[in-house]
Amino acid sequence: MTAEMVAPAWMHDQITAEEYDSWSEEQCAGIEIVDGMVVVSPSASKRHNRVARIVANALDTAAGDDWNADTDIDVRLQDVPLTNRRPDVVVYRADSIDVTPTRPEHVLLVVEVVSPGSETTDRIVKADQYARAGIAFYWRIEQAATGVPLIYTYLLDPATRAYRDGDVFTAVVKVSAPFPAKIDLGQI
């Protein structure tokens, strides 16, 4: 067996929050940490990235001065064992822009764009983790075979720490909560 065939140690050992926080931005790109283990995420498609960017831009405009919407940021769901997720879109308090790590109490809404290979994680695992962490809103965008996205919205039930089904939209999202927003995904 050659050295190239041996996986690095960090792929076999749990890492702590302190270890992760010492890594560079480049080392953290394209990964999530689940129960202390590094999970490598494949690069997203151009369609996936475009959907995420359009949603983030629309939410950022609609959110007003109190909230920011961005892509490609970690949300620290728990410290022990370390769980960092990187939702496709995160709406977080504007006054926490320089706070690291971003924690659930900073976050209002997370959006996941489902890709081949992430179906179970986005539909079940992440939804459960975000709900248990107390994030009030979760949206899941399915890229349908017709090319017109389906957008599923969920609202946290604080008593059960589980999401309740909200509205389902085809192509155009029009919501009043967490703030009024209209997003047209029909032209992707």
Side-chain angles (χ1 to χ4, degrees), residues 6 19 53 59 84 129 146 152 162 180:
V6 177
E19 289 170 319
R53 184 176 50 80
L59 288 172
N84 272 8
Q129 289 175 331
T146 61
Y152 297 84

Side-chain angles (χ1 to χ4, degrees), residues 143-158:
Q143 301 179 73
T146 61
V148 179
L150 293 171
I151 302 93
Y152 297 84
T153 64
Y154 302 91
L155 172 64
L156 183 66
D157 179 340

Side-chain angles (χ1 to χ4, degrees), residues 49-64 68-71 88-91 179 181-183:
N49 289 339
R50 183 164 174 75
V51 168
R53 184 176 50 80
I54 289 169
V55 170
N57 289 348
L59 288 172
D60 198 53
T61 298
N68 293 335
D70 282 312
T71 60
D88 293 311
V89 179
V90 179
V91 177
F179 41 76
K182 182 178 178 182
I183 307 167

